[in-house]
Amino acid sequence: MKKNIIWGVYCLFFLRTFPQIIFQEKFNMFSLSTHTTSYVTTTYTTIPSGFMDLSEGYRNNAGSSIHPNAPFHTDSLKYKAWGILYNPIIKDTFLVSTSWVDTNKVISRWILLPVINGISVNSVLHWKAMAPDPTYADGYAVYISTNTSVADTGIFNNSNKVFQLNDNNTSGGGEKQNWIQRSISLANYSGQSIRIAFKNISNQKYQLWLDDITVENLPYANDVALENVNNVKYVLVNQNFNLNARLKNAGYQTISNVQLAYSIQGIAYNAQSFALNTNLLPLNTTTLAFTNTGSINTAGLYKVKIWVNQLNGQSDQNPFNDTISYYLSVLNTSVSPKVIVEQITDAGFPDAPANQDTLRILQQTDTNLIAVQIHLKDSLKSNIANSFSNFLRVPDNALVATLNRQYFSSDNRNYFYRSELRSKINALKNFITPCIIQISNISADTNFRTIQMDVTTTFLQNAVGDYRVSVYLIENNVYGNPADTTINGFNQLSSFYFTPYSDYFQKGYFSSAANAFVLNAYEYHHQFVLNQNLTPFYGDTSVIPTMPIAGNLYTNTYTLSVPTSTNGFKNHFDNFYIVAFVYEHDTLIENRRILNVDRKKVLNSAELVNVQKINKIFGDISIYPNPASDKLFLGSLSENFSAYIMDVMGQKILDVHSKVIDVSALSNGIYFLIIQSEEVFVKKKIIVQK
């Protein structure tokens, strides 16, 4: 009997911990239509039954053929204020409105929700919102009316406006470029039925996205959930550091003050009260940092614990989500970590050449920087393109990059634009890394077209985490068939034809279909191309344990096959590099990061640029006799050259100083003659047969 009572009490408490949803629309369960052009496929539909779209009827601007204002370029939504769009990058369906219309007049674009009943003192309205283009960020207002007998904009006015965010015509305005959780307490409407309306109040911006519109009754008035977000995990002995925690108000009362405490195993305990500058609304979050956490004077692995003591002067009513803990590695020494820049690019993006030039300059001026370009849709599309876009959460395929996959809390994102890269790279140089990664024993078989290498990770101090190894094959100097000047997935679109200081000034030709200039193959070569990813996108989990020991070697051997290229100038061993890095995974994107990187060239030879340039410099090179037993003769070659012979493993075995080459000391077999100038080199196969 006693057990039954205890079980009943437990069940009541367990059920109470869950919110009661009284209205929710995630915009997922709909039959979608597809609209396809030569460049874009759009998946969309109209707003759901029960919702009402009210607008002034202005025609939506269709944009360009490559980048339309989807889905409002479709016939069914061209004059609509709101629609539903499926985005393949974020793999989600959501509500969308546009303020980009064919007029400069003020728009009036409303969407009214169905009548919602059952509102109580613990009811909360919440939704996700974002504006995908930060340059043209939309704003909006939210209204709540208790007049539910009429479905019309006349029931909404300034007196029942509960939320407003101006577009970025106002300084600091506009919704963010990533999903932001918004919420409003509905306690003032307890016992009543309500109708909710969202209104796009932007002037000639782009789009507003809304999702997961929910009204729910929360079980607790005072409830804070803690998350371990972006806390320092690796510090040096006697290095000052601060601890922090992200708070989510999981209750239905606003929070004005909170007291947190922390302990570091065997070292310290501290409690601190925080008065919030702005009251924390239900289901909203904020991050609080302890002051004067201090330093630790002995290397080792320490358990850190952070918890809630009080909120609003009262105890937290839900004890199951108010504590976080993790392990801190304190190191005697560290190494300067290398920084990897993973850049989104595509031959169809006219601004891509400037991004590539920026990466080239950054890598030339910083030996600790490693550049990678991940192509999204063109002929060089990577096998992890979709996963990478999902990781960055950039819904409009913007030309952005991640740096060590690091999340910057000050920017609330893990991706950055070209102009931001240098400052963010400098910020990462002070990062303390707990490990070293090294690529070794590279062997390349150019006949069977395979590459093998060892990748070894060594930790400088004991640690705890989800550590993974990733390995990339990178290629330089990639382009399409020079005779093909069409938009073929290799030939790069360019927006710099009229830019005098650009390397692409007055280069290429104008394509009316693409509404952009197209660079020919000899005018643009793709660099830092991710050719293959040898491991899953989030890394190989089989190499490093969750509790790596300082000084242990964690090594794995990786092998890859390189196909013979049948389309374009690519898959050349001379242009290959191996890039390997240690990635630390976490359920929260804010805690994911690359800890260290290594980069090695596959062959010990200069890069191969292209045949057209070689012929222009060297002419039509003749080698005879071939096979040779004693002497090789080079014809049609100027005196201004250097050359050497290497074996099939890429090892240099003989320097060449004249047009007559003595090969009598070489064993029978296949070799390669490398002829080079300051700009290019050419590789010729030779056979020694005695």
Side-chain angles (χ1 to χ4, degrees):
M1 181 66 179
K2 183 178 180 181
K3 289 183 179 179
N4 290 337
I5 293 173
I6 294 174
W7 177 249
V9 171
Y10 174 79
C11 289
L12 288 173
F13 181 83
F14 182 76
L15 290 173
R16 189 184 172 214
T17 63
F18 286 91
Q20 176 194 8
I21 295 176
I22 58 178
F23 173 85
Q24 186 172 63
E25 182 55 77
K26 292 179 172 289
F27 306 102
N28 289 335
M29 306 301 292
F30 301 104
S31 177
L32 302 175
S33 301
T34 300
H35 180 82
T36 302
T37 68
S38 302
Y39 304 98
V40 176
T41 296
T42 303
T43 306
Y44 69 100
T45 189
T46 54
I47 63 172
S49 175
F51 284 65
M52 182 169 293
D53 178 337
L54 299 172
S55 72
E56 74 298 310
Y58 296 142
R59 182 180 182 275
N60 296 307
N61 194 312
S64 69
S65 56
I66 294 182
H67 301 290
N69 187 10
F72 298 104
H73 65 307
T74 61
D75 291 337
S76 59
L77 293 178
K78 194 165 292 184
Y79 294 94
K80 295 290 186 179
W82 298 81
I84 293 176
L85 176 67
Y86 172 76
N87 187 283
I89 302 299
I90 62 177
K91 292 183 171 60
D92 198 8
T93 309
F94 44 83
L95 192 65
V96 56
S97 173
T98 185
S99 60
W100 187 16
V101 296
D102 293 340
T103 179
N104 287 323
K105 296 179 181 179
V106 177
I107 65 167
S108 179
R109 318 212 122 190
W110 297 77
I111 188 164
L112 278 58
L113 276 60
V115 175
I116 302 173
N117 304 305
I119 304 299
S120 65
V121 69
N122 59 337
S123 297
V124 174
L125 163 68
H126 59 91
W127 68 95
K128 294 193 306 183
M130 69 177 293
D133 189 337
T135 307
Y136 301 97
D138 284 56
Y140 60 105
V142 181
Y143 299 80
I144 299 177
S145 175
T146 56
N147 181 357
T148 59
S149 61
V150 180
D152 188 80
T153 59
I155 64 175
F156 303 108
N157 51 55
N158 285 335
S159 66
N160 55 30
K161 183 193 299 182
V162 296
F163 175 89
Q164 178 166 324
L165 179 66
N166 293 331
D167 67 30
N168 66 348
N169 283 318
T170 301
S171 178
E175 191 56 277
K176 306 300 182 184
Q177 198 194 359
N178 49 288
W179 289 114
I180 297 295
Q181 180 78 49
R182 304 286 187 183
S183 67
I184 295 170
S185 172
L186 300 179
N188 291 339
Y189 305 94
S190 179
Q192 302 182 74
S193 298
I194 62 173
R195 189 183 290 275
I196 300 170
F198 290 82
K199 181 186 180 184
N200 191 326
I201 58 173
S202 310
N203 184 10
Q204 287 298 305
K205 293 304 175 180
Y206 179 47
Q207 289 188 354
L208 171 69
W209 295 3
L210 301 177
D211 202 4
D212 298 350
I213 301 174
T214 303
V215 175
E216 61 182 323
N217 296 335
L218 300 179
Y220 300 108
N222 300 309
D223 183 10
V224 165
L226 290 189
E227 289 182 321
N228 178 24
V229 174
N230 208 25
N231 256 316
V232 61
K233 284 191 66 177
Y234 314 103
V235 296
L236 293 175
V237 167
N238 297 321
Q239 177 189 3
N240 288 328
F241 64 93
N242 285 323
L243 297 175
N244 62 75
R246 184 164 69 187
L247 285 69
K248 178 180 180 181
N249 183 359
Y252 57 85
Q253 298 282 5
T254 60
I255 297 175
S256 59
N257 62 82
V258 62
Q259 185 183 79
L260 302 181
Y262 73 84
S263 65
I264 301 176
Q265 179 183 357
I267 300 293
Y269 162 82
N270 192 19
Q272 182 175 339
S273 296
F274 299 86
L276 305 183
N277 293 329
T278 304
N279 286 348
L280 191 62
L281 297 174
L283 303 179
N284 281 13
T285 61
T286 189
T287 299
L288 299 178
F290 289 94
T291 57
N292 303 319
T293 304
S295 61
I296 298 176
N297 59 17
T298 304
L301 186 64
Y302 298 86
K303 186 174 183 178
V304 178
K305 180 181 176 182
I306 304 173
W307 65 94
V308 178
N309 269 346
Q310 291 183 339
L311 64 150
N312 291 339
Q314 303 178 41
S315 298
D316 191 316
Q317 293 176 281
N318 181 7
F320 294 104
N321 58 5
D322 62 358
T323 303
I324 56 176
S325 62
Y326 76 99
Y327 285 89
L328 172 70
S329 294
V330 181
L331 294 78
N332 277 318
T333 185
S334 181
V335 294
S336 298
K338 293 186 177 180
V339 177
I340 182 171
V341 181
E342 296 173 281
Q343 168 77 58
I344 284 180
T345 192
D346 194 276
F349 289 165
D351 287 339
N355 284 40
Q356 178 169 292
D357 289 351
T358 297
L359 290 186
R360 177 176 51 81
I361 293 169
L362 288 173
Q363 186 165 278
Q364 287 174 349
T365 57
D366 191 341
T367 57
N368 279 337
L369 185 71
I370 296 171
V372 177
Q373 290 210 106
I374 299 176
H375 288 248
L376 286 184
K377 298 179 180 179
D378 59 23
S379 298
L380 302 174
K381 179 179 178 179
S382 162
N383 58 338
I384 62 165
N386 291 338
S387 297
F388 186 70
S389 294
N390 291 341
F391 176 79
L392 291 179
R393 298 181 180 177
V394 184
D396 58 350
N397 292 345
L399 289 177
V400 297
T402 182
L403 303 168
N404 279 358
R405 299 188 182 175
Q406 185 83 27
Y407 181 90
F408 284 73
S409 56
S410 58
D411 301 279
N412 196 29
R413 52 192 165 97
N414 66 343
Y415 57 85
F416 302 96
Y417 296 87
R418 178 172 66 246
S419 61
E420 302 173 298
L421 292 183
R422 193 176 295 276
S423 63
K424 297 303 180 184
I425 290 169
N426 290 334
L428 287 176
K429 290 183 178 179
N430 295 324
F431 179 74
I432 301 300
T433 182
C435 62
I436 301 169
I437 186 167
Q438 295 174 308
I439 304 166
S440 60
N441 301 325
I442 298 178
S443 60
D445 189 324
T446 56
N447 289 324
F448 289 96
R449 302 188 67 78
T450 59
I451 303 173
Q452 182 173 291
M453 79 293 302
D454 292 336
V455 177
T456 301
T457 304
T458 309
F459 278 74
L460 306 174
Q461 180 54 264
N462 296 351
V464 176
D466 184 355
Y467 304 107
R468 307 178 180 194
V469 173
S470 290
V471 184
Y472 285 170
L473 177 66
I474 309 300
E475 185 175 11
N476 283 342
N477 306 314
V478 182
Y479 60 93
N481 180 0
D484 183 357
T485 61
T486 64
I487 303 173
N488 55 20
F490 286 97
N491 294 342
Q492 178 68 53
L493 299 189
S494 171
S495 60
F496 302 100
Y497 187 87
F498 297 108
T499 307
Y501 58 81
S502 169
D503 290 339
Y504 313 104
F505 177 56
Q506 293 187 347
K507 289 185 178 180
Y509 68 95
F510 184 76
S511 167
S512 57
N515 194 28
F517 284 88
V518 184
L519 296 170
N520 296 301
Y522 58 85
E523 295 172 320
Y524 188 88
H525 294 171
H526 301 280
Q527 308 295 337
F528 321 120
V529 177
L530 176 55
N531 184 292
Q532 289 187 44
N533 184 32
L534 282 65
T535 51
F537 174 74
Y538 287 111
D540 182 352
T541 61
S542 67
V543 183
I544 305 173
T546 56
M547 299 183 68
I549 306 300
N552 284 7
L553 302 181
Y554 301 103
T555 302
N556 198 36
T557 300
Y558 295 95
T559 303
L560 65 98
S561 297
V562 180
T564 301
S565 180
T566 58
N567 181 24
F569 188 84
K570 59 183 294 191
N571 292 331
H572 289 276
F573 278 72
D574 305 279
N575 296 340
F576 281 151
Y577 294 80
I578 300 296
V579 171
F581 54 86
V582 179
Y583 166 71
E584 183 174 7
H585 190 65
D586 193 89
T587 54
L588 295 175
I589 192 172
E590 294 90 340
N591 296 335
R592 302 171 186 175
R593 71 203 82 184
I594 290 173
L595 300 175
N596 217 336
V597 193
D598 193 21
R599 177 179 181 264
K600 292 285 192 304
K601 196 172 188 302
V602 170
L603 294 183
N604 218 2
S605 57
E607 291 182 3
L608 182 62
V609 180
N610 68 72
V611 175
Q612 288 70 30
K613 197 174 228 182
I614 288 168
N615 289 340
K616 182 178 179 181
I617 296 174
F618 293 129
D620 187 13
I621 301 172
S622 58
I623 303 175
Y624 59 93
N626 192 14
S629 59
D630 185 27
K631 297 282 194 304
L632 265 179
F633 298 90
L634 305 181
S636 304
L637 190 64
S638 66
E639 297 295 335
N640 186 24
F641 76 95
S642 62
Y644 61 90
I645 292 176
M646 70 178 185
D647 60 19
V648 293
M649 300 304 293
Q651 302 299 311
K652 182 192 290 188
I653 59 174
L654 180 65
D655 285 315
V656 175
H657 302 289
S658 71
K659 295 183 181 181
V660 180
I661 308 172
D662 185 355
V663 296
S664 60
L666 300 182
S667 302
N668 287 350
I670 297 173
Y671 300 87
F672 295 96
L673 173 65
I674 307 300
I675 307 170
Q676 57 189 354
S677 71
E678 292 182 355
E679 294 183 276
V680 296
F681 82 67
V682 63
K683 181 178 178 182
K684 293 285 187 178
K685 180 179 177 181
I686 60 175
I687 299 174
V688 175
Q689 183 176 315
K690 301 174 184 177

